Amino acid sequence: MISLAKSLKGKPTAGDDDIPEKLVTQCVQLIKGPLAHIYSLSLNSGVFPDVWKTAKVKPLYKKGDKYDMRNYRPISIIPVFTKLLERSMYNRIISFLYENKILSEAQNGFRKGKSIDRAVHSFIGRIQKALDIRVHTIVIFIDVTKVYNILNHTLLLEKLFYYGIRGSTNLWFWSYWTHRKQFIEICQSESSSMRVNRYRSCCMEINQGVPQGSVLSLLLFLLYINDLPVNIHDANLVMFGDDINVLISDSDERLLQTKIDRVVAELETGFNMNYLVINAGKTAVMLCHNRQTHVLVKPLVTFNNMNVDYTAEIKFLDIQITDTLKWHGQVQLLAGKLCCVRWLL
């Protein structure tokens, strides 16, 4: 229990029970015995306690019009005791996955020995190699609509079983999703006083998806899309969590278009089988080329019968890259960030 408690960040935030992480980290020595007993019963019996299945959802503003709800990202705040139980199950599952080498090598997210730096290095290296031998290369940056909200529980249980997560552990996940609920909370401060008003919606049951932001949600999503690279041919995939990027190359322009059509068809099939939706409006394509190339032939890329727009510059895992692999965009981005904090020096 002590090691599990160390995974907590000691935040003042609390779930629906209003028990903050900070309080539990301070009292863990006093409650470690009963908690260990409860967690052991849960994991061994395959039953997740109903009292810990309710999530508090807070809308986090991203950018744009503050009165447009599409510009907010839902953050699920789960009870601190749920976090500890999830972490216990996470430790069991991740050890099993590493031991049996189940996770795809194309996946760089949230894995031991993998990182954003390695994903970027692998991605840029493949593009640079293609440019050096002067082959036509495009990259598709796929945007998936609300991935954590639409995961199909039945399909995910089947995948867990396929990967060897069976018996009481599989039952535990079934219990984990059954009768899960959530409500929305919005806090508003009064300008005339220090008072903060809390407004809560009614509690609704969730029939699909996983709580966004929990440690188990990330791992479950990795397993959910783990078989995607196996079913994609004639392309290289570089994934980091739900960032899915596809690199397609060929020395012949006509063969490149044929490859693209085949890969797109395979991607659409894979996403449809997993009940995932590709957001064609936010998906982008980049045609990589040398600066000396004057005539650019841009192959047609369509998802769900919608043409995908080409872009000359895009942010890939917090790195600004261009179609010629020049770094002026990234340099300007870093310079802007440094200007904002220079007064700290």
Side-chain angles (χ1 to χ4, degrees):
M1 285 308 306
I2 302 300
S3 61
L4 288 178
K6 288 181 179 179
S7 66
L8 298 174
K9 298 178 180 179
K11 295 180 179 180
T13 54
D16 69 308
D17 55 7
D18 290 326
I19 301 176
E21 284 187 14
K22 188 175 182 180
L23 177 62
V24 174
T25 56
Q26 293 172 346
C27 302
V28 66
Q29 288 285 358
L30 302 174
I31 60 176
K32 62 181 181 180
L35 276 182
H37 178 68
I38 294 171
Y39 289 176
S40 179
L41 285 177
S42 173
L43 297 173
N44 292 331
S45 64
V47 177
F48 190 92
D50 286 340
V51 71
W52 290 340
K53 291 183 181 180
T54 302
K56 177 170 65 178
V57 179
K58 284 199 170 187
L60 180 66
Y61 173 70
K62 295 185 292 185
K63 60 181 180 180
D65 184 2
K66 288 189 175 182
Y67 294 96
D68 188 344
M69 66 179 183
R70 292 173 297 183
N71 294 326
Y72 289 82
R73 181 161 58 96
I75 299 297
S76 296
I77 302 175
I78 57 178
V80 61
F81 298 120
T82 302
K83 291 182 180 180
L84 293 174
L85 181 52
E86 285 190 3
R87 173 62 68 173
S88 181
M89 176 57 77
Y90 173 89
N91 291 342
R92 290 188 175 195
I93 298 298
I94 199 68
S95 297
F96 174 80
L97 297 178
Y98 285 149
E99 183 179 342
N100 293 280
K101 299 180 180 179
I102 290 174
L103 292 176
S104 168
E105 285 301 312
Q107 179 59 257
N108 295 273
F110 318 106
R111 294 181 58 190
K112 187 187 300 181
K114 300 276 190 175
S115 64
I116 287 182
D117 292 341
R118 290 192 63 172
V120 171
H121 183 269
S122 171
F123 181 74
I124 298 298
R126 287 175 179 175
I127 297 177
Q128 188 63 64
K129 183 178 180 181
L131 294 182
D132 289 343
I133 61 176
R134 298 183 180 277
V135 299
H136 305 288
T137 302
I138 72 156
V139 182
I140 307 175
F141 301 88
I142 298 176
D143 184 271
V144 186
T145 302
K146 300 178 180 179
V147 289
Y148 293 101
N149 296 338
I150 58 177
L151 296 191
N152 184 279
H153 294 164
T154 302
L155 180 57
L156 186 47
L157 283 173
E158 291 175 359
K159 292 194 175 193
L160 292 177
F161 186 89
Y162 172 78
Y163 291 126
I165 301 171
R166 303 168 183 171
S168 61
T169 304
N170 197 282
L171 286 174
W172 187 91
F173 279 105
W174 179 84
S175 176
Y176 175 74
W177 290 312
T178 305
H179 305 309
R180 181 166 287 277
K181 300 177 181 179
Q182 68 179 25
F183 64 89
I184 299 173
E185 180 181 275
I186 299 176
C187 296
Q188 187 176 39
S189 302
E190 293 184 0
S191 57
S192 58
S193 65
M194 298 294 291
R195 182 178 177 181
V196 177
N197 296 318
R198 294 196 303 177
Y199 301 94
R200 290 185 172 184
S201 70
C202 58
C203 215
M204 301 289 289
E205 191 164 318
I206 307 168
N207 296 317
Q208 61 183 21
V210 290
Q212 188 170 345
S214 74
V215 65
L216 265 184
S217 300
L218 300 174
L219 183 58
L220 290 172
F221 179 75
L222 297 192
L223 288 171
Y224 196 79
I225 63 168
N226 193 56
D227 55 356
L228 181 63
V230 178
N231 299 310
I232 306 301
H233 307 89
D234 295 326
N236 290 311
L237 268 68
V238 177
M239 304 190 296
F240 193 91
D242 58 350
D243 280 307
I244 302 172
N245 310 281
V246 186
L247 189 148
I248 310 171
S249 302
D250 202 283
S251 57
D252 186 281
E253 294 175 6
R254 289 174 297 178
L255 290 178
L256 177 62
Q257 183 66 69
T258 302
K259 278 188 177 181
I260 292 171
D261 294 340
R262 186 185 305 122
V263 169
V264 167
E266 290 171 343
L267 285 168
E268 287 184 332
T269 300
F271 278 89
N272 289 336
M273 289 178 63
N274 287 304
Y275 304 100
L276 297 174
V277 180
I278 298 175
N279 188 338
K282 291 186 177 180
T283 295
V285 185
M286 179 180 286
L287 175 63
C288 301
H289 61 92
N290 294 307
R291 285 188 296 175
Q292 295 80 7
T293 306
H294 299 292
V295 180
L296 300 177
V297 179
K298 296 181 178 180
L300 184 64
V301 180
T302 62
F303 279 108
N304 302 323
N305 298 319
M306 289 181 59
N307 292 343
V308 180
D309 294 331
Y310 275 82
T311 182
E313 188 172 352
I314 197 169
K315 182 177 283 189
F316 168 71
L317 298 180
D318 293 330
I319 300 294
Q320 203 75 18
I321 64 172
T322 67
D323 53 4
T324 56
L325 292 189
K326 300 305 175 184
W327 298 103
H328 59 271
Q330 178 65 14
V331 172
Q332 291 176 357
L333 181 66
L334 290 175
K337 290 182 178 180
L338 289 173
C339 286
C340 294
V341 299
R342 62 183 179 181
W343 60 274
L344 294 173
L345 302 177

